[in-house]
Each structure stands twice: as C-alpha cells, then as structure tokens.
Amino acid sequence: MSDEVSQAVWSSWAFPFWATSGLLAAALLYLRGWRRIRRSRPELFPPWRAWCFLGGLFALWIAVASPLDTLDGLLLTAHMTQHLILMSVVPPLLLLGAPAVPLLRGLPRSAVRDGLGPFFSAPVLHRAARLVTGPAFAWLAMNIAYLAWHVPRAYELALRSPGWHEVEHACFLGTSLLFWFPVIQPWPSVGRGSRWALLPYLIGADLVNTGLAAFLTFSGRVIYPSYAAGPRVFGITALGDQAAAGALMWVIGSIFYLVPVAAIAIHLLSPQSNRLALRSITGSAKILRPKIPSRPAKRLDLLRVPLIGRLLRARYGRMALQSIAFVTAVLVIADGFMGHPMGAMNLAGVLPWTYVRAFGVIALLVLGNIFCMSCPFMLPRELGHRLGLARLKWPRWLRSKWIAIALMILFFWSYEAFAIWDHPGRTAWLLIAYFAAAFVVDTFFRGASFCKYLCPLGQFNFAGSLLSPFTLEVRSQAACERCTTHDCIQGNQQQRGCELQLYMPQKAGNMDCTLCMDCVKACPHDNIGLFAIPPVRDVLRDPVRSSIGRFSSRIDIAVLVLAVVLGAFANAALMVGPVAARLSALGDSLEKAVPLPLLSLVAVLVFSTAVVAVLLAVALAGLWLSRCGERANPSRREVFCRFSQALLPLGLAMWAAHLLFHLITGWAALGPAIHQASADFGWHFLALPQWKMELPLLSANNMLSVQLLLLDVGLLLTLYLGWRLAQHWAVRSSRAVLLLLPWATSVAVAYAAGVWIVLQPMQMRGVMMNP
Amino acid sequence: MKPFCRLAAVLVLGVSATAARGDGGTMLLHQDAGPFTITLFAAPQPLQAGAADLSVMVQDRNSGEVLLDSVIDLSVAPEAERALQQTVRLSRGQASNRLLQAATVHFSRAGKWRLVLLVRRGNDAASLSTECTVEPGSSRAVLVWFYVLLPAGIILLFVVHQGLKLRQKKQEGISGTPRSVLRTENSWCKPAPLSKMNCHPDRSEPGFPATRH
C-alpha cells in the first residue's frame, strides 16, 4: 500500500453529527452526575469508573466515525473489527462506569422526579426490565442477534441499506449491553443466582463465536456476495479477507470471553475476604455510608459568568451595542435612499428583513430580548431626554398595549401591502419614522413611554421573551427587604432606575423588560442576576407582576400574544405559492371596485377579529363542556387570557421556521450587499460585488427537518401549557380533558396549517434569483 | 426503580449507536475500462428523484492499486431528454472514504437516466456509461410523516405518564400518604407572596394591586 493510499485510508473519518452529539451529551451528563455522587459517596465512584465510561463512549465513537466505518463496505475485516468493538469493547467499559445512577443524577432533579419518576415506578416496566437483564434472556438475545445478522441475506441487507445497517449496529450494541450486564453487575444492581453460572454463560457465548468464526475462516467460498462483487483493495482477495475476518473474530473474540472467565474463576476460588474486596471494586456489594447532604443546586447567573457578566454590566456596554446598531441603521437608511433600487441588492432589503428578524427571534429563544437591549432607536431618544422637556406623564387611559397592538397589526399589513421588503426606500422611511416617533414621544413624556406603550417591535419582543430562558431577578429577597433606597427603580446619582417601572422584588418574568441593565447597575447591593429559568415558567405562573398585574386580568396582553401568533401564520402564509396566487386572483377581480391596500387592510382586520372571536368561543366552549367551576372557578376572562398566552410557543416556532427559511436561503446576500452599498456610496475600498446565486446553507430536506422540528416543539410546549392550565382549573383529570379539548383542537389545526405552509414553495425574498 | 434505571441506560446507549452508516453506498457498476478498473457507488439505493450521492473508485487495472489522482467527470441525463444533461466533477473532499471521489447529483425526475463517467489520468483516459432507474422521491414524504408523527408519539407517552402519575397518586391516597395531598395542589399557579414593602412609585399602572383592591 503506497503512502498516499495509506494516508487516504487514515483520513477517511466520518463525523456523524447526531451520534457525535449524542455521545458528547452522554459524556457531559455522566460527568455531571458522577461529580454529584462523588460528593456523598466518593468510594463508590472512584475516577477509574469515569475513565471506563468515557473510554466506552470513545470506543463507540471510533466504531461509528473512524475509517473502520467508511471501509466496512470494502473490507469484511474492517467490518468485523467494528462489530467486535461494538460487542466486546464498548459494553463492558460502559457498564464498568455504573452508568445508570450518574446519568440520572446528571439530569435536572425535577426532570427525573416528575418526568421519569412515574415510569420508574410502573410495575409492568419493572417486570420487563427484570426479564431483559436476566442471564437467560441476555445470553439468548445477544447470541441470536449475533448469528441472525451474520446470515448472508441479513448481512447483505445491512450492507445495501444504511437504515438497516444502523439497526444492525444498534442490535449488536443493545444486546451486548444486556449480555455483559450479569457479568459486570454495575452498581446498584445485585447479582441474581450464583456467579459460578457465569462460567458456562461466557464459555457458551465463546463457543457460538468460535463456531461462526471457524465457518468464515475455513469456508472455501465467499459467504457475502457484496465483497466478492466489489472492488478489492490493498491486494487482498475476497476469500483472504473473509478468512482474516474469521480469524480476528476467533482470536480476539475469544480473548474477550475467556479473560473474564479466568478472572471470575480466580475470584470465586479466592478466600472469602478477598472476594468481598473484589466485589466492592466491581461495585456489586452494597456500600452503605452515611449520606453527606449535598449542596443546594446553584442557578446559572449570566452576570456571574466571568467575561459575559462583565460585558453585560459594563457602564457603557449597552451604549456600545446601541451605537453599533445606530451606525448600521444610518447606513441602511442611506443605502435605502441612495443605493440600488432592488431589495435583494440593497442593505435596506437584506439586513433588516433577512438577518435582523431571524437573529432577533433566535436570540429570544436562546437568550432573551437582545434586540431591545441593543435598540438603535433609543440613542436619539436619550438626546431628547437631555433637553429636559420630558415632564409629562403618559395618560392613564393609554397605559395599556392596545395602541401598540394596533401599530403591530398595521406594520404586518403594510409590510405585505406595500412590499416594504422589496423597496429599500420604503424601509428607509420606516426607520426614519421609527426614530422620529421615539424621539418625539420620549422628549415630552417621562420614562420609557415609547417602549412600554407604543413600540410594536418592542411589544413583539416582550411577548416573545416570555419564552426566553433567562430573566433578571433578585438574588436574595432578604437583601431587598433590608434595602431602604430602592435604587433599582428610583435610581441614584450615578445611574437611573428602571424606566419601565419594573420594581425588582416584585418583577416576575420578562414582560416589559428591555434588558437595559439599568437596575443591575443601580443596585448598591449587587443583588440582581440574570438567571436561567425553564422557558415555559413565565407563561405558567400568574403572580402579581410589578407594573403589569396578573396576566389573567390583562386582555390587552392576551391579544398582543394572539397578534404575534396570528402574525406568524399570516406573514408566512402570504408568501407561499398557493396563497399568493389566490390572493392575486382575488385582488384582480375586486381591484376595480376597491383599492387593493384598503381591501387588504379590511381583510386583515376582519381575519384578526374572526380568529380572536373563534379562540374566545373555543375557550368558552371548553369551559362550558367541563363545567369546572367546582374549585378554582376561573372567570371567562382568565380562561381566555391564559389560553391565549399558551399559544405563544407555537407562534414563535412558526416565526422561527419562517425566518430561518429566509436566513438559510439568503445567508450569502450580506457580503455582496455591503460591496454594492460601498460602490453606491462611491467608496472604492471594497471590490465590486459578485452577484451570483448561492446554494442555501442547508439542503432542502435538512431545512424542512429544522422547520418541522421547530413546529413540533412549539406544538408540544403549547399543548403542555394548555394541559397544565386545564389541570389547574379542573378538579378531575376528565374535566381537564374536556376543558382542553376544543382549545387543543384549534391548536392542532394551527399546527396543521403551519406544516402545510412550510411544505409549500415559499418566495425566496432577499435572494438574487436571476443574476 | 433500579431495574428500570438499568434498562433506560441500556436503551439510551443502544440508540446512540444508530447513526453509524457506511460510505459510498451501494455498488452500481464495477467494470474495466482502458487501463482502469472503475467502480461506481450510489446512495440512496434505489435511487430516488432528488439529491443523490455518487462516488467512484478508480484502480489500476493490472495491479489493483487505488489511483487517487485521477480526474473524474460524471454526466447524467434523463434517457428521454438528453438535452438536460448535467456534468459534475467528482472530488475526494466530498467523500468520507478518501479512497473514493464523490459528488452530489440532482435527479430532477423519476425514470431512466443515463450516466457517463469520464476518467483521465495523465495521458490515459477511459469512459464508461450505464443506465439506472430513478424512482419517484419518497424521502420528503417520509420526512414529513416522521416529524408529524413524532409529536403524536410524545403525546402518547405523556398520556401514559399522566396515567401512571394518577395511579400513583390514588395508591398513595389509599395508603394515606400525606404527599398526595400536597401534590394535588398546583403550587405554581398560586400568586407569589407580596413583599412587605410596597414602594412602587406609580400605583396607577394597570394591574397594579393597589389600584385593584
């Protein structure tokens, strides 16, 4: 074999994404649990256990990602080595790590207790687990799987079909884990029957292995036709390859069975005291020690993470972000007016609609309200504040979300009616209007009235941030009780307090929070953190929130969430082929009588009102069906408000699926757009743009997978929230089901609509189609 | 609980191995041509309308040595419309198995397709052609069904979970365990206790308790 070929073989690594991610996740989970157990029972989990488990995972990764995997279709020897690792190396190593308890301790306690607990205590599953981990079942399962998959027809099927190949590997690994279970007896399992029985158990398996290996070695013909028909590499014939594979199975396979036989025999024949010591090493003996109370679980506080925390708390950190956003906005406005008139070739057509929207939604789902944190519209507003004219209070009768909801619907409508995404000039005017509105309102009114009561983008982000996994909270309520100055809301000489009137000890969740960090910087006790929370907690709980009240009494917030959810479906639907064609035909037939923009505005308003009315009817129908006024007695308003908010996960999932489509298809547009803008401005330090049709970042099927997965997660979270709400209101589960049923049906219809939308051909906005 | 922990661990680890798959796919053609022995692999098998991975191994016809520096062009066209021919150059970078050269080819429709391989190495060149049948694409439908049925499966599991939880509660109720009483209360939805201090500067905000009670 030449050096070049040898190098090619050694570089033939595959990196199976899901397997690698799964193994990494298992390793992290195990290590987390192992560290926790070590605190209370260090003797039971010495470091070698962790090394064994990690070694097992590494061996598994080698089997599925190394050249052994890529060469298995060409060389039977490589394929058999892969199987040997999966059956004889990986399982003992994993089981020596006693993985059951560390893996469970690695999970959040609530997930184990509430999520897995009911399954663990089900008698039927106990019986099943006892059956499959019994020696007789395990021996038969492993040997039957081993022999069955080596029958030529089954083996050829696995070689032909990647899917069956994966099933074959899963069978080998799964049954081998069962096989080695009685031999290793990983803690906390206790051996059943005499350990003497393990000697025939292992020797029997070795005999089966020897029989098959001998058959392969001494057969005078090639057993698996694929290897006979395929190309021969490295100068080895198909028959020679088969004999080598058989010999490998025979020799190495036997070692893996006979070494444990010898170890167990020596162990059993040794004096009783040594035997107990050995049993404690394998973990079979129960070691009872006084349990040391574990430390209370720490919550992740981003403000305490070294670099990130420092950046977030930096005095001019937010201003730096805003300045970058402001300069970008000015460039977008300038290019919108002076640049190329085609949206896909202009910063104003690409940056806000393809990039900022998608990253904004992603940020909401993985971190929080980053858009408001870096909002560029706030810088001129600061200037307005400094003029000292902000003396007026926002009128009490306008202190709700209704104006912002109307503006949001207006924005969704005008985006489509005037094709803002395709007209850079209109995008520029929109941004100027935004700057002007923020400046005017906050020049004359105190606090952040524009953000809280008017800004449609802000309201979208406030609603979306109800599902964000981080929130600003006080670290210790006791410290707040001792505080007399309340700087978090009232501010001090150096730092203003919260302009959105969120009083930290009573703040709950992310509604109305712009992550400006004013409260963090103002607090003299350093008592505010940015904590990780379960993403649905904000919607599930209904405490009295500072400056907001209870969600169950705020119809405007419920309608705001509905507008976000409806906007997601309407905005995506309007750009898929069938809907666009129908609307176009309808518009053509009616345009003579009514102007198209007016017609579409009326249609949007009628549609929105109809959907809100239907949802209200659905919620009330559930209430009527369940007649659940027996304990909690929820009002109609409460049912409507809380059920509406529970739709948020599905709505955000639809937004994410839709906006990710544009980001994935138009990901390459930004570079040429910047070059084009520089050319349009007459700046010649950048080369002329190279406009060409780029392939999407993901293939069509992968993109569809991502979109459908997002919708699935949204549906499941929405139904879960609905179920928890219904369970709270109803006394019995049957009543909860009746209460939930009409609402869940409407959720299923919305999900079906979402799936239909992502399956349709969608306009590739922001992408050059015909360069 | 312990036996099921073991079973769960075994299942989780077993599932982790299911991502293993071969490289190159199924052999479509293995033939001598000029000074070369050429083998063409295709995945998925059978070929379906849509994207497909085609890989080629070139060996020296006499020695069987794998030739890594050959230049391979692959042209594919539907039998019915040769004008729709597309030609791609194969590369080692696209193949996980670096003994092969690979490219992704898009079969726009089902039916008979003609594949022509042109292999060059130095002054040597050889050409091979074959026909293959491309079946209607089903990968998208399979994908959609998988993702649509996935929530249904999870919901079913959740229903079982809730049923088991309910049964457990009932059993605890019979045995008089006070935990069951605690669990029937949904503590998450109770309002958070208000702090003793209440120094909110603007009590006229909607929903603020002072204005409501």
Side-chain angles (χ1 to χ4, degrees):
Chain A
M1 186 165 42
S2 71
D3 283 351
E4 209 181 346
V5 171
S6 154
Q7 201 182 356
V9 169
W10 286 112
S11 59
S12 293
W13 289 78
F15 288 93
F17 175 75
W18 290 112
T20 309
S21 314
L23 293 176
L24 274 177
L28 291 175
L29 211 60
Y30 179 91
L31 284 176
R32 188 166 183 248
W34 178 81
R35 279 187 60 195
R36 285 182 173 183
I37 302 174
R38 284 271 296 170
R39 284 186 204 138
S40 55
R41 298 182 170 183
E43 294 85 357
L44 203 56
F45 278 87
W48 65 261
R49 280 204 189 281
W51 283 116
C52 282
F53 186 79
L54 296 179
L57 292 183
F58 182 67
L60 182 51
W61 187 77
I62 289 289
V64 299
S66 72
L68 286 176
D69 186 60
T70 45
L71 290 175
D72 62 5
L74 298 174
L75 280 176
L76 184 62
T77 320
H79 207 169
M80 286 303 171
T81 309
Q82 187 185 32
H83 291 174
L84 210 59
I85 292 174
L86 286 175
M87 299 185 78
S88 301
V89 178
V90 176
L93 282 175
L94 292 180
L95 293 174
L96 280 170
V101 178
L103 285 177
L104 288 173
R105 287 292 300 271
L107 289 168
R109 179 177 278 197
S110 59
V112 177
R113 188 188 54 211
D114 301 329
L116 301 175
F119 292 115
F120 287 161
S121 51
V124 62
L125 293 172
H126 273 249
R127 283 196 293 274
R130 197 172 164 76
L131 171 74
V132 299
T133 53
F137 184 94
W139 194 92
L140 284 172
M142 192 278 278
N143 284 296
I144 289 172
Y146 181 59
L147 291 176
W149 277 110
H150 284 90
V151 170
R153 189 169 284 192
Y155 200 91
E156 285 293 318
L157 175 70
L159 281 178
R160 261 200 321 274
S161 154
W164 281 110
H165 201 180
E166 288 163 10
V167 172
E168 181 195 39
H169 286 178
C171 272
F172 284 156
L173 182 65
T175 56
S176 300
L177 280 166
L178 294 178
F179 174 82
W180 287 101
F181 202 91
V183 181
I184 309 278
Q185 285 180 12
W187 185 82
S189 72
V190 180
R192 282 184 251 165
S194 164
R195 280 188 72 79
W196 284 103
L198 290 176
L199 302 182
Y201 180 87
L202 286 163
I203 291 169
D206 184 44
L207 286 177
V208 174
N209 176 58
T210 302
L212 182 61
F215 176 68
L216 285 178
T217 308
F218 297 121
S219 175
R221 61 185 177 85
V222 178
I223 307 290
Y224 305 117
S226 285
Y227 292 106
R232 299 314 315 158
V233 289
F234 315 134
I236 184 170
T237 63
L239 203 57
D241 180 30
Q242 181 177 293
L248 189 88
M249 282 167 70
W250 198 337
V251 177
I252 309 289
S254 290
I255 288 173
F256 281 115
Y257 291 121
L258 296 180
V259 168
V261 166
I264 290 167
I266 292 168
H267 169 209
L268 289 171
L269 294 171
S270 62
Q272 189 73 10
S273 55
N274 290 350
R275 200 186 299 175
L276 277 174
L278 272 170
R279 279 170 72 87
S280 74
I281 287 170
T282 59
S284 300
K286 283 190 175 179
I287 301 173
L288 297 174
R289 300 198 174 274
K291 200 173 173 185
I292 302 162
S294 54
R295 278 179 272 170
K298 277 185 183 171
R299 294 168 68 195
L300 173 62
D301 178 358
L302 273 192
L303 294 182
R304 291 253 161 99
V305 175
L307 187 65
I308 300 171
R310 206 166 167 178
L311 279 174
L312 288 171
R313 298 154 62 103
R315 185 167 175 78
Y316 296 107
R318 189 191 187 204
M319 193 172 276
L321 279 177
Q322 287 177 318
S323 303
I324 295 168
F326 180 74
V327 171
T328 311
V330 169
L331 285 175
V332 166
I333 291 171
D335 199 30
F337 286 131
M338 299 188 293
H340 200 286
M342 205 171 152
M345 297 174 75
N346 191 302
L347 277 182
V350 172
L351 203 57
W353 307 122
T354 303
Y355 285 85
V356 175
R357 283 196 309 169
F359 283 118
V361 171
I362 292 170
L364 281 175
L365 294 175
V366 299
L367 197 62
N369 191 353
I370 300 297
F371 182 88
C372 287
M373 186 190 210
S374 54
C375 177
F377 308 119
M378 291 300 102
L379 276 188
R381 158 192 179 273
E382 295 290 336
L383 190 69
H385 263 324
R386 295 201 177 194
L387 294 176
L389 301 173
R391 298 204 180 134
L392 295 174
K393 271 187 165 185
W394 190 254
R396 183 175 292 185
W397 58 280
L398 288 179
R399 287 178 197 171
S400 66
K401 305 287 184 190
W402 291 113
I403 301 178
I405 294 166
L407 287 173
M408 188 192 284
I409 293 173
L410 191 70
F411 171 73
F412 287 151
W413 163 76
S414 57
Y415 176 78
E416 284 300 327
F418 300 113
I420 293 177
W421 53 275
D422 201 25
H423 292 84
R426 291 175 190 173
T427 302
W429 275 119
L430 183 71
L431 291 177
I432 286 176
Y434 230 104
F435 275 114
F439 180 78
V440 169
V441 171
D442 283 348
T443 298
F444 296 106
F445 290 95
R446 283 196 281 178
S449 305
F450 180 77
C451 301
K452 197 171 172 80
Y453 303 116
L454 288 178
C455 176
L457 272 178
Q459 306 314 312
F460 180 95
N461 289 318
F462 291 155
S465 64
L466 293 179
L467 291 183
S468 294
F470 287 94
T471 190
L472 281 171
E473 278 179 6
V474 294
R475 290 183 177 132
S476 153
Q477 280 287 351
C480 288
E481 281 171 18
R482 286 194 300 272
C483 177
T484 52
T485 52
H486 315 302
D487 300 34
C488 60
I489 192 159
Q490 290 181 343
N492 51 41
Q493 294 289 330
Q494 287 81 35
Q495 178 65 50
R496 70 179 172 212
C498 180
E499 288 193 296
L500 286 110
Q501 306 299 329
L502 301 175
Y503 177 50
M504 282 313 291
Q506 291 172 11
K507 173 181 175 286
N510 287 320
M511 179 54 81
D512 282 2
C513 179
T514 57
L515 287 185
C516 62
M517 303 289 159
D518 284 347
C519 55
V520 176
K521 293 172 202 165
C523 178
H525 311 290
D526 190 20
N527 191 35
I528 299 171
L530 186 56
F531 290 103
I533 53 165
V536 292
R537 195 191 76 172
D538 221 3
V539 184
L540 269 180
R541 293 172 54 198
D542 190 24
V544 177
R545 294 161 200 258
S546 173
S547 176
I548 293 165
R550 287 190 203 280
F551 276 171
S552 53
S553 60
R554 292 288 300 263
I555 291 187
D556 56 337
I557 291 180
V559 173
L560 168 69
V561 171
L562 280 181
V564 169
V565 175
L566 280 179
F569 286 90
N571 196 237
L574 286 173
M575 57 186 78
V576 299
V579 176
R582 285 274 168 87
L583 285 178
S584 176
L586 188 70
D588 287 347
S589 60
L590 291 176
E591 200 175 6
K592 286 168 192 166
V594 193
L596 192 59
L598 184 64
L599 184 71
S600 60
L601 180 60
V602 172
V604 164
L605 290 176
V606 170
F607 176 69
S608 309
T609 314
V611 173
V612 172
V614 166
L615 266 172
L616 187 62
V618 159
L620 296 182
L623 195 61
W624 178 79
L625 265 178
S626 67
R627 293 192 187 110
C628 62
E630 298 160 24
R631 192 187 65 185
N633 193 21
S635 65
R636 289 170 190 169
R637 171 195 285 222
E638 184 179 354
V639 172
F640 172 71
C641 288
R642 307 291 312 276
F643 266 169
S644 302
Q645 285 151 10
L647 289 171
L648 193 60
L650 189 59
L652 271 194
M654 189 67 230
W655 274 115
H658 167 200
L659 298 179
L660 274 178
F661 169 83
H662 291 305
L663 185 65
I664 287 168
T665 51
W667 67 278
L670 185 59
I674 291 173
H675 284 245
Q676 182 71 46
S678 113
D680 293 339
F681 293 148
W683 301 337
H684 299 296
F685 54 85
L686 289 176
L688 283 174
Q690 298 284 319
W691 289 109
K692 57 179 181 179
M693 175 84 182
E694 290 283 354
L695 282 176
L697 208 54
L698 293 177
S699 70
N701 276 359
N702 284 344
M703 185 150 60
L704 185 62
S705 299
V706 171
Q707 289 179 305
L708 290 173
L709 196 61
L710 281 166
L711 285 175
D712 285 356
V713 173
L715 171 76
L716 290 171
L717 283 180
T718 291
L719 288 176
Y720 174 71
L721 286 172
W723 170 246
R724 290 291 302 269
L725 291 172
Q727 237 187 350
H728 167 56
W729 287 319
V731 177
R732 280 175 285 160
S733 294
S734 55
R735 298 279 170 120
V737 171
L738 284 175
L739 176 59
L740 187 69
L741 206 59
W743 181 82
T745 310
S746 63
V747 170
V749 170
Y751 169 77
V755 171
W756 182 80
I757 288 169
V758 299
L759 287 176
Q760 303 308 309
M762 192 176 259
Q763 292 172 10
M764 291 167 75
R765 295 179 176 178
V767 178
M768 285 294 297
M769 297 299 293
N770 296 304
Chain B
M1 189 170 179
K2 286 171 188 169
F4 190 72
C5 294
R6 288 177 235 151
L7 179 64
V10 165
L11 286 178
V12 166
L13 295 168
V15 167
S16 308
T18 58
R21 71 175 288 245
D23 183 64
T26 309
M27 200 171 65
L28 211 62
L29 175 77
H30 178 61
Q31 204 172 313
D32 292 337
F36 309 120
T37 300
I38 298 170
T39 313
L40 172 65
F41 299 92
Q45 193 63 24
L47 284 168
Q48 293 175 353
D53 287 323
L54 294 177
S55 328
V56 173
M57 178 184 272
V58 181
Q59 292 170 280
D60 186 278
R61 187 175 183 166
N62 298 321
S63 66
E65 189 190 347
V66 181
L67 303 174
L68 300 171
D69 54 352
S70 48
V71 178
I72 309 169
D73 290 315
L74 171 68
S75 303
V76 296
E79 276 288 354
E81 283 181 84
R82 294 280 175 89
L84 294 177
Q85 176 174 304
Q86 49 174 318
T87 302
V88 287
R89 174 152 296 177
L90 279 65
S91 71
R92 280 173 64 196
Q94 289 211 37
S96 302
N97 184 345
R98 297 302 169 97
L99 298 175
L100 312 179
Q101 298 194 45
T104 302
V105 174
H106 190 80
F107 292 105
S108 54
R109 65 178 79 159
K112 292 256 183 218
W113 283 69
R114 185 165 189 79
L115 281 69
V116 180
L117 271 169
L118 178 63
V119 180
R120 279 167 292 156
R121 182 174 184 258
N123 293 327
D124 298 326
S127 176
L128 261 183
S129 66
T130 186
E131 273 184 7
C132 66
T133 305
V134 174
E135 295 185 354
S138 63
S139 59
R140 197 173 160 89
V142 170
L143 196 76
V144 173
W145 277 113
F146 171 76
Y147 282 106
V148 169
L149 291 178
L150 185 67
I154 293 173
I155 290 167
L156 197 67
L157 209 61
F158 185 73
V159 170
V160 173
H161 175 273
Q162 293 293 300
L164 289 169
K165 212 170 161 181
L166 201 67
R167 213 169 85 170
Q168 200 180 337
K169 267 185 198 171
K170 276 181 188 166
Q171 281 172 354
E172 280 179 8
I174 291 165
S175 64
T177 313
R179 279 176 69 194
S180 61
V181 181
L182 290 172
R183 283 187 184 178
T184 51
E185 297 290 337
N186 287 304
S187 53
W188 53 263
C189 51
K190 286 182 179 171
L194 278 172
S195 170
K196 284 177 187 171
M197 331 153 286
N198 199 346
C199 59
H200 200 286
D202 189 356
R203 287 164 187 248
S204 56
E205 293 289 341
F208 191 76
T211 61
R212 301 201 159 253
H213 305 295

